[in-house]
Amino acid sequence: MKRVVIIGGGITGLSAALHLQDKARERGLAVDHVLLERDRRLGGKILTEKIDGYVLDAGPDCFVVEKPGVFELAERVGVSDRLLCTNESHKGTFVLSGGRLHQLPEGLMLMVPTRILPFLASPLISWPGKLRMALDLVLPPRRDTGDESLESFVVRRLGREALDKIAEPLVSGIHGAADPAEMSVLASFPRFIKMEQEHGSLIRAMLAARKGNPIRPERPDGYGSKAPLPGAAGAPGASVERPRRTFFMSFTGGMGDLVEAALAHLDRGRIRSGVTATRLERTTTGYAIHVAGGEPISADAVIVAAPSKATARLVADLAPDIAARLAEIRLASTAVVSVAYRRADIPHPLRGFGFIVPGAERRKIMGVTYSSLKWNGRAPDDTTVLLRVFVGGARNLDLIRSGEAGILAAVRQELRSILGITAEPVLARVHPWLEAMHQYTLGHLDRVAAIEQGLSRYPGLFLAGGAYRGVGVGDCIRSGFNAAEQALAHVAAAATAGAG
Ligand SMILES: Cc1cc2nc3c(=O)[nH]c(=O)nc-3n(C[C@H](O)[C@H](O)[C@H](O)COP(=O)(O)OP(=O)(O)OC[C@H]3O[C@@H](n4cnc5c(N)ncnc54)[C@H](O)[C@@H]3O)c2cc1C
């Protein structure tokens, strides 16, 4: 019997375990696996708490439907019936500018205007700023195909105001306090580069995508895909009546539904939680995984599904070159604060799904989602409102490190200033995430290519997760499935070689 050890029980590791379990069984392979997780709790950054009828997502609160990984996993673990669309009656995103909330103009796809009238009518961008954005239609595409920062790309195509008021706050919300001056557009938004190269203009590319796409993105910060979304007319299996899809989706019981369903599907006897892997060592047949306070575990293949920093530590002795590259991947710290108030205590109309905060506003928060308005079932009833506040940014690092009381006080101060809320919250939970969000800075893809090349010298060792080619939950699931498939191929080949 061959054995694969998975290190890390976040969504990547759980997806890898699930794939190994199902595919080994389906293919009749004699492959066993063990999953090691440092914490007692499984799920990693996916953490849903249910308190007094509130559903709080302390980590990710949704996924982007464009990435099919979540649908695939949901289907495999039987939780598709719990998929949840955003509440479209509240659709809309606002931006804090000059201390006031302005709606992102309708038809804005990520940062690119695709509808003229709402864009012209919006007070968010000044007239010179609007004219500068329109220059995208005539500016020639960049010839150099090397990496470029998000800041350089957006300023070059759409101008500084589009970066400061739209792109930077939107992207910070997704990538966690990312600095556009350092962020690699090639690694984070390869589609933008493709759009520029193929259409010569982002606006023209978006208009073409809208025309060819039967499904419109449901949020102004979304952007369309030419491929029909799963369940859309024309998609495989579309003859079956499927639930409606929105650009961002979640589960009725929060993102934790996915973890719970995966755990219910997995053989729990193969999961060891509360076990920290400390070091990997090469053996004649594969690897030995050293664990804190226990005997080493031998494996024919290893999938490391831990964050990059932990992975660097694990492979430091075995592969110092890979460890050095891993250590270059930067991690940002943020905090998610969930606060609920009586509706009557909020003097603000709370339009849309919430608002984002550009760095130029010099606030302590990066954005607020009106969770119980955006998603049904997040608060016990409509007499209270659950807000999710995202705290972060390089400027606020000390605040994030200062502890829960300081973070909550800062959040309440900002909510007072922006939404006029002075009342005590009926519920408040603070979740700091220190060095938790992988940053794809300039040169990221070269770094990942070097890591992958380095791995070719370590047959049977696979790295998976959000550090490499996509930070979203859907990317992580795909990465877990892929690593498991590679591990299966590796042990199958080793078994054949052994038999021969
Ligand atoms: C605040 C926040 C909000 C986010 N929002 C979204 C969102 O809305 N949508 C979205 O798609 N994505 C979002 N993300 C990103 C997404 O949550 C992550 O990329 C994804 O969950 C990472 O999963 P993972 O399994 O790769 O890593 P993790 O969840 O980090 O899991 C890795 C696991 O490895 C374990 N581990 C580490 N070292 C060891 C060791 N030595 N031995 C054993 N175990 C070890 C850890 O304890 C952990 O459980 C968000 C992330 C954060 C932090």
Side-chain angles (χ1 to χ4, degrees), residues 7 64 89 108-109 126 134 160 168 174 197 212 214 225 237 243 286-287 307 349 361 368 374 400 447 467-468 472:
I7 302 173
V64 184
S89 59
L108 196 76
M109 293 162 121
S126 69
R160 170 66 55 184
E168 177 265 331
I174 303 169
Q197 295 307 324
S225 146
Y287 298 90
E361 294 291 307
V368 177
K374 181 174 177 180
I400 293 162
R447 227 166 276 138
Y468 312 104

Side-chain angles (χ1 to χ4, degrees), residues 37 105 139 172 274 276 332 385 404 442 461 490:
E37 165 54 50
L139 285 171
S172 280
T276 303
V385 178
E404 296 183 11
L442 281 168
L461 175 61
H490 173 80

Side-chain angles (χ1 to χ4, degrees), residues 7-12 36-39 43-46 58-62 275-277 305-307 310 314 334 336 388 390 433 436-437 465-466 471-473 476:
I7 302 173
I11 198 66
T12 306
L36 309 177
E37 165 54 50
R38 184 186 58 195
D39 293 347
K45 286 175 191 115
I46 300 185
D61 68 339
C62 62
V275 176
T276 303
L314 278 165
T334 56
V336 171
R388 170 183 156 102
F390 214 42
W433 292 101
M437 297 183 101
V471 292
V473 172
C476 292

Side-chain angles (χ1 to χ4, degrees), residues 6-19 35 266 303 305-306 464-465 476 480:
I6 302 157
I7 302 173
I11 198 66
T12 306
L14 293 175
S15 304
L18 189 112
H19 195 84
L35 184 149
L266 283 167
I303 298 171
C476 292

Side-chain angles (χ1 to χ4, degrees), residues 22 103 134 247 276 290 435 475:
D22 291 354
Q103 184 157 17
F247 190 79
T276 303
H290 293 263
E435 297 196 317
D475 300 305

Side-chain angles (χ1 to χ4, degrees), residues 6-274:
I6 302 157
I7 302 173
I11 198 66
T12 306
L14 293 175
S15 304
L18 189 112
H19 195 84
L20 282 170
Q21 176 182 298
D22 291 354
K23 297 298 164 190
R25 196 176 292 156
E26 263 172 53
R27 297 172 197 166
L29 301 172
V31 179
D32 191 13
H33 70 266
V34 178
L35 184 149
L36 309 177
E37 165 54 50
R38 184 186 58 195
D39 293 347
R40 288 263 161 235
R41 184 185 64 83
L42 290 141
K45 286 175 191 115
I46 300 185
L47 168 56
T48 304
E49 293 184 336
K50 294 178 182 159
I51 306 170
D52 300 338
Y54 294 94
V55 177
L56 320 175
D57 270 313
D61 68 339
C62 62
F63 64 93
V64 184
V65 290
E66 276 193 325
K67 303 281 172 77
V70 180
F71 290 111
E72 206 178 323
L73 180 60
E75 191 76 34
R76 283 168 74 164
V77 298
V79 77
S80 299
D81 58 340
R82 297 182 69 84
L83 282 163
L84 181 68
C85 293
T86 45
N87 187 353
E88 294 303 278
S89 59
H90 277 276
K91 203 165 99 172
T93 299
F94 285 71
V95 183
L96 188 72
S97 179
R100 293 184 50 208
L101 295 180
H102 299 270
Q103 184 157 17
L104 277 179
E106 241 179 83
L108 196 76
M109 293 162 121
L110 198 50
M111 62 190 97
V112 184
T114 61
R115 288 185 51 195
I116 307 243
L117 287 179
F119 175 64
L120 291 182
S122 167
L124 178 64
I125 304 280
S126 69
W127 281 104
K130 283 174 184 159
L131 285 173
R132 177 60 189 83
M133 286 174 84
L135 276 184
D136 167 71
L137 288 162
V138 293
L139 285 171
R142 180 176 178 243
R143 286 183 201 272
D144 182 352
T145 52
D147 205 356
E148 184 180 14
S149 74
L150 185 73
E151 174 175 291
S152 154
F153 178 83
V154 178
V155 170
R156 188 166 58 70
R157 294 286 350 154
L158 300 163
R160 170 66 55 184
E161 214 175 322
L163 175 80
D164 290 346
K165 292 192 179 161
I166 305 176
E168 177 265 331
L170 277 177
V171 165
S172 280
I174 303 169
H175 289 268
D179 178 352
E182 295 184 1
M183 198 171 175
S184 155
V185 74
L186 212 54
S188 307
F189 297 100
R191 181 186 298 189
F192 281 158
I193 306 281
K194 202 160 168 252
M195 289 195 303
E196 184 186 30
Q197 295 307 324
E198 285 178 3
H199 295 264
S201 141
L202 300 182
I203 299 176
R204 273 204 298 275
M206 283 298 190
L207 290 171
R210 268 184 92 119
K211 254 193 196 159
N213 186 0
I215 291 231
R216 299 274 180 269
E218 307 286 332
R219 247 179 70 155
D221 55 355
Y223 47 94
S225 146
K226 277 193 178 168
L229 298 169
S239 56
V240 184
E241 186 67 24
R242 295 280 186 104
R244 208 168 48 88
R245 304 270 152 122
T246 48
F247 190 79
F248 289 99
M249 294 191 70
S250 186
F251 291 88
T252 50
M255 291 298 287
D257 275 359
L258 196 56
V259 172
E260 268 177 42
L263 288 173
H265 187 90
L266 283 167
D267 176 355
R268 295 298 289 267
R270 290 162 157 172
I271 298 179
R272 297 196 207 161
S273 55

